[in-house]
PDB file of all heavy atoms in Angstrom:
ATOM      1  N   ASP R 160     -14.341  20.413   1.429  1.00 66.00           N
ATOM      2  CA  ASP R 160     -14.440  21.555   0.522  1.00 66.00           C
ATOM      3  C   ASP R 160     -13.318  21.546  -0.508  1.00 66.00           C
ATOM      4  O   ASP R 160     -13.499  21.968  -1.648  1.00 66.00           O
ATOM      5  CB  ASP R 160     -14.398  22.878   1.302  1.00 66.00           C
ATOM      6  CG  ASP R 160     -15.680  23.121   2.078  1.00 66.00           C
ATOM      7  OD1 ASP R 160     -16.700  22.464   1.775  1.00 66.00           O
ATOM      8  OD2 ASP R 160     -15.669  23.964   2.994  1.00 66.00           O
ATOM      9  N   VAL R 161     -12.150  21.068  -0.121  1.00 62.00           N
ATOM     10  CA  VAL R 161     -11.027  21.010  -1.052  1.00 62.00           C
ATOM     11  C   VAL R 161     -11.270  19.922  -2.091  1.00 62.00           C
ATOM     12  O   VAL R 161     -11.057  20.125  -3.285  1.00 62.00           O
ATOM     13  CB  VAL R 161      -9.704  20.747  -0.293  1.00 62.00           C
ATOM     14  CG1 VAL R 161      -8.573  20.511  -1.266  1.00 62.00           C
ATOM     15  CG2 VAL R 161      -9.386  21.907   0.628  1.00 62.00           C
ATOM     16  N   ASN R 163     -14.180  18.459  -2.886  1.00 71.00           N
ATOM     17  CA  ASN R 163     -15.433  18.652  -3.605  1.00 71.00           C
ATOM     18  C   ASN R 163     -15.896  20.098  -3.428  1.00 71.00           C
ATOM     19  O   ASN R 163     -16.789  20.376  -2.628  1.00 71.00           O
ATOM     20  CB  ASN R 163     -16.513  17.699  -3.072  1.00 71.00           C
ATOM     21  CG  ASN R 163     -16.060  16.260  -3.120  1.00 71.00           C
ATOM     22  OD1 ASN R 163     -15.631  15.801  -4.146  1.00 71.00           O
ATOM     23  ND2 ASN R 163     -16.126  15.575  -1.995  1.00 71.00           N
ATOM     24  N   PRO R 164     -15.308  21.051  -4.171  1.00 67.00           N
ATOM     25  CA  PRO R 164     -15.707  22.453  -3.993  1.00 67.00           C
ATOM     26  C   PRO R 164     -17.181  22.656  -4.343  1.00 67.00           C
ATOM     27  O   PRO R 164     -17.689  22.063  -5.290  1.00 67.00           O
ATOM     28  CB  PRO R 164     -14.792  23.214  -4.942  1.00 67.00           C
ATOM     29  CG  PRO R 164     -14.052  22.214  -5.738  1.00 67.00           C
ATOM     30  CD  PRO R 164     -14.298  20.872  -5.175  1.00 67.00           C
ATOM     31  N   LYS R 165     -17.841  23.500  -3.544  1.00 70.00           N
ATOM     32  CA  LYS R 165     -19.286  23.725  -3.736  1.00 70.00           C
ATOM     33  C   LYS R 165     -19.552  24.826  -4.756  1.00 70.00           C
ATOM     34  O   LYS R 165     -20.490  24.764  -5.516  1.00 70.00           O
ATOM     35  CB  LYS R 165     -19.921  24.072  -2.396  1.00 70.00           C
ATOM     36  CG  LYS R 165     -19.898  22.918  -1.429  1.00 70.00           C
ATOM     37  CD  LYS R 165     -20.474  23.324  -0.083  1.00 70.00           C
ATOM     38  CE  LYS R 165     -20.433  22.161   0.871  1.00 70.00           C
ATOM     39  NZ  LYS R 165     -19.269  22.074   1.680  1.00 70.00           N
ATOM     40  N   GLY R 166     -18.746  25.857  -4.743  1.00 70.00           N
ATOM     41  CA  GLY R 166     -18.977  26.980  -5.645  1.00 70.00           C
ATOM     42  C   GLY R 166     -17.891  27.083  -6.684  1.00 70.00           C
ATOM     43  O   GLY R 166     -17.068  26.193  -6.867  1.00 70.00           O
ATOM     44  N   LYS R 167     -17.899  28.235  -7.388  1.00 74.00           N
ATOM     45  CA  LYS R 167     -16.897  28.492  -8.399  1.00 74.00           C
ATOM     46  C   LYS R 167     -15.549  28.701  -7.699  1.00 74.00           C
ATOM     47  O   LYS R 167     -15.459  29.424  -6.712  1.00 74.00           O
ATOM     48  CB  LYS R 167     -17.279  29.733  -9.196  1.00 74.00           C
ATOM     49  CG  LYS R 167     -16.320  30.045 -10.303  1.00 74.00           C
ATOM     50  CD  LYS R 167     -16.750  31.296 -11.044  1.00 74.00           C
ATOM     51  CE  LYS R 167     -15.673  31.657 -12.056  1.00 74.00           C
ATOM     52  NZ  LYS R 167     -15.907  32.978 -12.612  1.00 74.00           N
ATOM     53  N   LEU R 168     -14.525  28.099  -8.224  1.00 70.00           N
ATOM     54  CA  LEU R 168     -13.198  28.171  -7.626  1.00 70.00           C
ATOM     55  C   LEU R 168     -12.478  29.390  -8.185  1.00 70.00           C
ATOM     56  O   LEU R 168     -12.276  29.503  -9.390  1.00 70.00           O
ATOM     57  CB  LEU R 168     -12.412  26.897  -7.929  1.00 70.00           C
ATOM     58  CG  LEU R 168     -11.052  26.773  -7.275  1.00 70.00           C
ATOM     59  CD1 LEU R 168     -11.200  26.799  -5.749  1.00 70.00           C
ATOM     60  CD2 LEU R 168     -10.390  25.479  -7.686  1.00 70.00           C
ATOM     61  N   ASP R 169     -12.126  30.339  -7.308  1.00 73.00           N
ATOM     62  CA  ASP R 169     -11.411  31.539  -7.707  1.00 73.00           C
ATOM     63  C   ASP R 169      -9.938  31.344  -7.351  1.00 73.00           C
ATOM     64  O   ASP R 169      -9.520  31.584  -6.217  1.00 73.00           O
ATOM     65  CB  ASP R 169     -11.988  32.758  -6.986  1.00 73.00           C
ATOM     66  CG  ASP R 169     -11.383  34.065  -7.463  1.00 73.00           C
ATOM     67  OD1 ASP R 169     -10.498  34.022  -8.340  1.00 73.00           O
ATOM     68  OD2 ASP R 169     -11.783  35.127  -6.952  1.00 73.00           O
ATOM     69  N   LEU R 170      -9.149  30.893  -8.324  1.00 73.00           N
ATOM     70  CA  LEU R 170      -7.747  30.576  -8.083  1.00 73.00           C
ATOM     71  C   LEU R 170      -6.937  31.813  -7.710  1.00 73.00           C
ATOM     72  O   LEU R 170      -6.034  31.735  -6.882  1.00 73.00           O
ATOM     73  CB  LEU R 170      -7.137  29.896  -9.300  1.00 73.00           C
ATOM     74  CG  LEU R 170      -7.650  28.491  -9.592  1.00 73.00           C
ATOM     75  CD1 LEU R 170      -7.017  27.969 -10.861  1.00 73.00           C
ATOM     76  CD2 LEU R 170      -7.362  27.568  -8.445  1.00 73.00           C
ATOM     77  N   GLU R 171      -7.280  32.955  -8.300  1.00 77.00           N
ATOM     78  CA  GLU R 171      -6.549  34.181  -7.988  1.00 77.00           C
ATOM     79  C   GLU R 171      -6.724  34.544  -6.515  1.00 77.00           C
ATOM     80  O   GLU R 171      -5.753  34.812  -5.804  1.00 77.00           O
ATOM     81  CB  GLU R 171      -7.043  35.316  -8.880  1.00 77.00           C
ATOM     82  CG  GLU R 171      -6.287  36.615  -8.674  1.00 77.00           C
ATOM     83  CD  GLU R 171      -6.763  37.718  -9.609  1.00 77.00           C
ATOM     84  OE1 GLU R 171      -7.547  37.445 -10.531  1.00 77.00           O
ATOM     85  OE2 GLU R 171      -6.336  38.856  -9.396  1.00 77.00           O
ATOM     86  N   LYS R 172      -7.952  34.492  -6.030  1.00 77.00           N
ATOM     87  CA  LYS R 172      -8.237  34.803  -4.629  1.00 77.00           C
ATOM     88  C   LYS R 172      -7.561  33.784  -3.710  1.00 77.00           C
ATOM     89  O   LYS R 172      -6.968  34.138  -2.684  1.00 77.00           O
ATOM     90  CB  LYS R 172      -9.744  34.802  -4.394  1.00 77.00           C
ATOM     91  CG  LYS R 172     -10.155  35.145  -2.985  1.00 77.00           C
ATOM     92  CD  LYS R 172     -11.665  35.125  -2.835  1.00 77.00           C
ATOM     93  CE  LYS R 172     -12.075  35.343  -1.394  1.00 77.00           C
ATOM     94  NZ  LYS R 172     -13.511  35.181  -1.208  1.00 77.00           N
ATOM     95  N   LEU R 173      -7.631  32.524  -4.106  1.00 71.00           N
ATOM     96  CA  LEU R 173      -7.015  31.468  -3.317  1.00 71.00           C
ATOM     97  C   LEU R 173      -5.507  31.682  -3.208  1.00 71.00           C
ATOM     98  O   LEU R 173      -4.936  31.580  -2.119  1.00 71.00           O
ATOM     99  CB  LEU R 173      -7.315  30.104  -3.949  1.00 71.00           C
ATOM    100  CG  LEU R 173      -6.711  28.885  -3.265  1.00 71.00           C
ATOM    101  CD1 LEU R 173      -7.297  28.728  -1.868  1.00 71.00           C
ATOM    102  CD2 LEU R 173      -6.971  27.641  -4.074  1.00 71.00           C
ATOM    103  N   ASN R 176      -4.806  34.560  -0.860  1.00 76.00           N
ATOM    104  CA  ASN R 176      -5.028  34.172   0.531  1.00 76.00           C
ATOM    105  C   ASN R 176      -3.896  33.315   1.070  1.00 76.00           C
ATOM    106  O   ASN R 176      -3.568  33.368   2.247  1.00 76.00           O
ATOM    107  CB  ASN R 176      -6.354  33.424   0.685  1.00 76.00           C
ATOM    108  CG  ASN R 176      -7.558  34.336   0.529  1.00 76.00           C
ATOM    109  OD1 ASN R 176      -7.439  35.549   0.608  1.00 76.00           O
ATOM    110  ND2 ASN R 176      -8.707  33.749   0.238  1.00 76.00           N
TER     111      ASN R 176
END
Side-chain angles (χ1 to χ4, degrees):
D160 288 343
V161 173
N163 305 308
K165 293 177 180 92
K167 182 181 174 191
L168 185 61
D169 186 359
L170 291 177
E171 183 178 351
K172 181 180 175 186
L173 178 64
N176 289 343

